[in-house]
């Protein structure tokens, strides 16, 4: 391809509103163009990279035995109602009505396709002889993001590979899950990503076991807890916390118990306000949160400097639904407005769950279940009882690892893939069943496996760039080789450039010829911005010596090769890098922040 025959609208300056490197560089390199918030056009360079990521995903899915199909983005709302996910997704689900002749037809644009694929399988799979099977697609998804930002990392429309396994037993599901997990590792290895599989929450997808594949990156919107000592890793929603022994002298089990006292705290309802008023520390306070679990109120206690983890609370209660109680419920249960609840002296007796770090606390500060009032000197057993102790809080940087004697490090990361063991959540709702060899009817057991294709590109750029631009691996680069004739008005220079271009294409190498009549400095700046792995400079001076200059994008210095046989030599270099990515991989660790 010749530069002047395609569309590469590079920019010198950072576009307005672009906040993170991947967003800035994808716009500046002419990979994407913004149509509106959360929606982008993929320009020729961006589309080439997107298709390469898609091809890697498709190749590994096929290799793992998954079968491709294509489902519509447009879905009937009735499918979502049958699984209860209209409420679960809330405003994220793009739904609307259209008139067809006289009746109104209510539809949704699929944010994912569990309902559609399960309904399909329920109609066409009825016997154990048809199972196991894993079906996948690469399709556009739609989600009504309230705050679309960070370029293609958070958009309302995006390209996803979603796969669904259907099995007859938990053992068979485990096998399907392991196949997909291994395929994901191969995919992200081939894409040149420095990734980390972590334990995860399933969220509105459902299921009881899941892993996310994360790219450690400063601008990631997710948080990951990781222990380098034993390898334990989990996202913030799921991360377990080891027992904390460093709570302080006031929390020592042998501390002298103070008398409980009621203290007026006018206008102080938050942890910060109470600490400022009473001159205490957040870790001396017990935060009492009133939740509604499956419609029934329950109190949850966490230390004042900790944040409650609703996923852990829901699991500890074995609840299907969990949400903070309304102000009316809180006042009915505690006798006080929001901000003044405490475990001692509630108006109604309700279950009390406490985070494990509450147990060793002594002489704590809590709400008094009375407006503008708190209690000091509050102690467990003497002043209140707890029904259940469990790990109920978010992990923090420096917390003890739950698996070994190490410590957790909390880092930002970008999610690029997620795998779930769904069980029978959707097959039950949508009547996807099979007959076993004894003619007994059973619900099909499912798994779900998603990859954000767009996020592969943005995630790679976040960890592989420098001050000059993108640094692509050969596997994802829009072109593998960039030919840079320095003087396009020179007949001999262009003769060599054109011949090299044609010979590389004949050798099945993706090559871009920069045939613009611009200064060498402009060409080199654009070359670094685009990040094409191998740059080949063709200049009159070098040609007189029978040489060409080549430079890998990630290397500091160029090297010279003979112009005779240059196409064969360049093609060999690219083929080697395609097979092992050794050159790119050896430098990626320098550019990537490690967990």
């Amino acid at each position: 391809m010749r530069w002047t025959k395609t569309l590469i609208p590079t920019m010198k300056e950072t576009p307005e509103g672009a906040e993170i490197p991947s967003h800035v560089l994808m716009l500046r390199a002419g990979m994407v163009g913004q149509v509106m918030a959360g929606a982008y056009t993929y320009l020729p360079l961006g589309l080439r990279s997107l298709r390469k990521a898609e091809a890697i995903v498709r190749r590994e899915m096929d290799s793992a035995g998954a079968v491709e199909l294509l489902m519509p983005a447009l879905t009937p709302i009735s499918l979502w109602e049958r699984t209860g996910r209209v409420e679960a997704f809330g405003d994220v689900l793009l739904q609307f009505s259209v008139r067809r002749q006289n009746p109104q037809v209510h539809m949704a644009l699929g944010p994912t396709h569990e309902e559609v694929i399960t309904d399909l399988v329920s109609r066409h799979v009825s016997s154990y002889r048809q199972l196991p099977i894993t079906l996948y697609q690469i399709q556009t998804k739609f989600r009504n993001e309230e705050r679309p930002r960070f370029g293609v990392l958070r958009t309302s429309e995006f390209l996803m590979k979603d796969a669904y396994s259907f099995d007859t037993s938990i053992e068979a599901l485990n096998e399907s899950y392991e196949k997909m997990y291994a395929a994901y590792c191969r995919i992200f290895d081939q894409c040149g990503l420095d990734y980390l599989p972590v334990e995860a929450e399933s969220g509105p997808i459902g299921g009881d076991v899941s892993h996310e594949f994360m790219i450690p990156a400063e601008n990631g919107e997710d948080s990951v807890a990781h222990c380098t000592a034993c390898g334990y890793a989990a996202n913030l929603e799921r991360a377990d916390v080891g027992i904390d022994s460093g709570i302080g002298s006031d929390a020592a089990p042998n501390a002298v118990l103070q008398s409980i006292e009621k203290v007026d705290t006018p206008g102080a309802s938050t942890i910060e306000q109470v600490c400022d008023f009473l001159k205490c520390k957040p870790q001396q306070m017990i935060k009492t949160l009133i939740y509604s679990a499956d419609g029934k109120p329950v109190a949850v206690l966490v230390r004042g400097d900790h944040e409650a983890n609703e996923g852990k609370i829901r699991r500890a209660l074995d609840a299907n639904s969990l949400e903070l109680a309304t102000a009316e419920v809180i006042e009915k249960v505690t006798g006080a407005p929001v901000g003044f609840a405490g475990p001692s002296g509630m108006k109604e007796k309700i279950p009390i769950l406490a985070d494990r770090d509450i147990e060793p606390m002594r002489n704590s500060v809590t709400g008094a279940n009375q407006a503008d009032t708190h209690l000091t000197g509050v102690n467990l057993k003497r002043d209140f009882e707890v029904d259940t102790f469990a790990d109920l809080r978010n992990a923090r940087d420096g917390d003890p690892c739950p698996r070994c004697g190490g410590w957790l490090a909390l880092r930002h990361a970008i999610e690029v893939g997620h795998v779930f063991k769904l069980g029978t959540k959707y097959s039950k709702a949508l009547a996807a069943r099979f007959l076993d060899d004894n003619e007994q009817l059973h619900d099909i057991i499912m798994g779900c496996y998603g990859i954000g294709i767009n996020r592969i590109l943005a995630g790679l750029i976040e960890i592989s760039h420098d001050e000059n631009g993108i640094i692509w691996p050969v596997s994802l680069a829009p072109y593998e080789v960039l030919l840079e004739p320095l003087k396009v008005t020179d007949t001999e220079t262009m003769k060599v450039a054109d011949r090299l271009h044609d010979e590389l294409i004949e050798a099945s190498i993706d090559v871009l010829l920069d045939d613009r009549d611009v200064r060498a400095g402009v060409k080199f700046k654009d070359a670094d911005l685009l990040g094409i792995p191998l740059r080949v400079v063709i200049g009159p001076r070098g040609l007189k010596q029978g040489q060409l200059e080549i430079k890998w994008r990630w290397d500091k210095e160029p090297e010279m090769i003979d112009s005779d046989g240059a196409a064969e030599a360049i093609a060999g270099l690219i083929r080697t890098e395609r097979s092992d990515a050794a050159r790119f991989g050896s430098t990626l660790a320098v550019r990537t922040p490690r967990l």
Side-chain angles (χ1 to χ4, degrees):
M1 175 60 72
R2 286 167 170 76
W3 193 300
T4 58
K5 300 301 181 183
T6 186
L7 180 63
I8 309 176
T10 59
M11 304 180 193
K12 292 182 180 180
E13 305 298 329
T14 298
E16 184 178 351
E19 303 174 82
I20 63 173
S22 61
H23 190 191
V24 171
L25 292 172
M26 291 183 83
L27 289 169
R28 285 193 56 214
M31 297 191 70
V32 297
Q34 184 169 334
V35 178
M36 64 177 187
Y40 289 83
T41 295
Y42 276 80
L43 301 176
L45 288 184
L47 185 61
R48 287 182 67 89
S49 288
L50 192 71
R51 291 292 179 247
K52 287 191 174 185
E54 185 180 325
I56 292 171
V57 171
R58 179 174 281 111
R59 182 168 62 246
E60 290 303 328
M61 284 293 101
D62 292 346
S63 178
V67 181
E68 187 173 10
L69 44 65
L70 183 63
M71 293 174 277
L74 200 61
T75 64
I77 199 68
S78 58
L79 282 178
W80 300 88
E81 290 171 341
R82 289 173 65 185
T83 59
R85 288 212 295 176
V86 174
E87 295 78 15
F89 272 106
D91 291 340
V92 172
L93 185 65
L94 281 165
Q95 50 179 307
F96 52 93
S97 295
V98 298
R99 184 177 296 280
R100 288 185 173 173
Q101 295 181 344
N102 288 325
Q104 290 277 348
V105 180
H106 197 180
M107 304 179 183
L109 289 173
T112 181
H113 276 73
E114 283 80 9
E115 281 79 1
V116 178
I117 194 71
T118 309
D119 181 62
L120 174 76
V121 168
S122 74
R123 298 169 189 271
H124 299 288
V125 173
S126 58
S127 169
Y128 73 97
R129 293 184 179 88
Q130 297 170 277
L131 301 171
I133 190 169
T134 298
L135 303 170
Y136 82 96
Q137 66 169 349
I138 297 176
Q139 171 64 298
T140 303
K141 309 291 186 182
F142 298 88
R143 296 182 185 179
N144 181 33
E145 286 285 355
E146 288 191 8
R147 295 181 63 233
R149 58 193 299 227
F150 293 166
V152 303
L153 277 179
R154 188 197 277 189
T155 55
S156 298
E157 177 181 338
F158 55 95
L159 190 65
M160 179 188 281
K161 185 285 302 178
D162 47 324
Y164 307 90
S165 61
F166 299 87
D167 289 285
T168 59
S169 68
I170 294 296
E171 293 75 19
L173 168 62
N174 291 340
E175 290 183 18
S176 297
Y177 191 89
E178 290 303 320
K179 284 182 181 178
M180 289 296 105
Y181 188 102
Y184 274 39
C185 292
R186 294 194 300 272
I187 287 167
F188 299 133
D189 284 339
Q190 290 177 51
C191 289
L193 295 175
D194 189 21
Y195 66 94
L196 184 71
V198 305
E199 295 178 15
E201 276 290 305
S202 297
I205 296 292
D208 59 357
V209 176
S210 71
H211 289 83
E212 288 173 343
F213 289 78
M214 294 286 200
I215 304 172
E218 281 300 314
N219 295 302
E221 290 190 290
D222 292 301
S223 293
V224 171
H226 182 227
C227 175
T228 56
C230 69
Y232 172 77
N235 69 11
L236 190 60
E237 293 174 306
R238 186 79 187 192
D240 295 329
V241 178
I243 296 174
D244 186 356
S245 59
I247 298 178
S249 59
D250 286 344
N254 58 354
V256 176
L257 301 190
Q258 299 172 359
S259 300
I260 188 168
E261 292 186 15
K262 186 179 293 187
V263 182
D264 290 336
T265 53
S269 60
T270 67
I271 296 294
E272 294 77 13
Q273 290 169 340
V274 175
C275 286
D276 186 60
F277 192 92
L278 297 178
K279 307 304 179 189
C280 64
K281 298 176 181 178
Q283 56 264 41
Q284 294 173 285
M285 293 194 63
I286 294 176
K287 186 162 41 178
T288 304
L289 304 168
I290 308 300
Y291 281 94
S292 177
D294 292 338
K296 297 179 180 179
V298 59
V300 174
L301 311 182
V302 294
R303 219 169 69 189
D305 59 331
H306 292 161
E307 294 298 324
N309 183 305
E310 293 188 359
K312 293 180 180 180
I313 296 168
R314 180 180 52 79
R315 290 194 298 274
L317 291 167
D318 195 23
N320 292 317
S321 66
L322 182 80
E323 58 185 359
L324 284 170
T326 63
E328 292 77 17
V329 170
I330 291 171
E331 188 154 6
K332 178 176 180 290
V333 167
T334 68
V338 175
F340 299 96
S344 178
M346 284 195 207
K347 192 174 181 180
E348 293 186 3
K349 182 174 176 57
I350 61 173
I352 297 179
L353 275 72
D355 182 70
R356 287 190 312 233
D357 289 343
I358 296 295
E359 192 166 11
M361 291 180 69
R362 299 292 183 268
N363 304 319
S364 306
V365 177
T366 74
N369 296 311
Q370 180 179 329
D372 294 325
T373 310
H374 281 77
L375 298 177
T376 63
V378 177
N379 286 283
L380 178 66
K381 294 185 179 178
R382 187 192 71 183
D383 303 314
F384 68 95
E385 295 286 348
V386 168
D387 296 291
T388 304
F389 285 100
D391 174 12
L392 301 177
R393 69 173 177 92
N394 284 341
R396 301 190 305 182
D397 197 58
D399 274 334
C401 174
R403 304 283 174 82
C404 73
W407 303 95
L408 297 177
L410 214 61
R411 297 292 183 268
H412 294 296
I414 297 168
E415 179 191 346
V416 288
H418 205 160
V419 293
F420 309 85
K421 291 183 182 179
L422 291 177
T424 58
K425 173 182 171 68
Y426 297 96
S427 56
K428 280 182 180 294
L430 296 166
R433 303 187 182 98
F434 71 95
L435 288 170
D436 64 16
D437 53 356
N438 293 317
E439 295 296 311
Q440 297 296 310
L441 201 59
H442 304 275
D443 296 313
I444 296 176
I445 300 173
M446 293 177 58
C448 170
Y449 319 92
I451 288 179
I453 309 293
N454 320 70
R455 281 177 163 255
I456 290 176
L457 304 187
L460 187 283
I461 294 171
E462 282 295 320
I463 62 173
S464 185
H465 68 273
D466 59 18
E467 66 275 10
N468 297 314
I470 302 168
I471 303 176
W472 287 114
V474 165
S475 60
L476 294 181
Y479 291 95
E480 297 164 315
V481 175
L482 176 61
L483 301 179
E484 293 281 27
L486 297 184
K487 193 174 182 181
V488 298
T489 56
D490 181 71
T491 303
E492 183 60 27
T493 297
M494 289 309 296
K495 181 179 178 181
V496 173
D498 287 336
R499 184 178 70 247
L500 194 54
H501 172 269
D502 294 345
E503 288 176 350
L504 288 172
I505 289 177
E506 183 67 23
S508 300
I509 303 299
D510 292 333
V511 58
L512 177 64
L513 171 59
D514 187 353
D515 57 344
R516 296 175 297 167
D517 186 10
V518 296
R519 291 181 291 109
V522 174
K523 291 192 173 195
F524 291 165
K525 279 188 174 295
D526 278 347
D528 284 345
L529 178 61
L530 267 57
I532 294 172
L534 189 60
R535 185 184 75 190
V536 180
V537 177
I538 307 161
R541 185 180 303 175
L543 289 178
K544 287 180 181 179
Q545 300 172 357
Q547 290 190 313
L548 305 176
E549 177 189 286
I550 65 170
K551 179 180 178 295
W552 292 98
R553 174 64 179 86
W554 45 80
D555 286 345
K556 290 184 178 180
E557 301 298 330
E559 58 182 291
M560 305 303 293
I561 64 170
D562 292 338
S563 56
D564 288 342
E568 184 178 352
I570 291 167
L573 289 171
I574 293 297
R575 290 191 188 106
T576 299
E577 186 65 9
R578 280 179 185 171
S579 66
D580 60 19
R583 292 174 182 266
F584 177 82
S586 66
T587 62
L588 180 63
V590 178
R591 302 190 296 275
T592 302
R594 291 301 302 153
L595 281 170

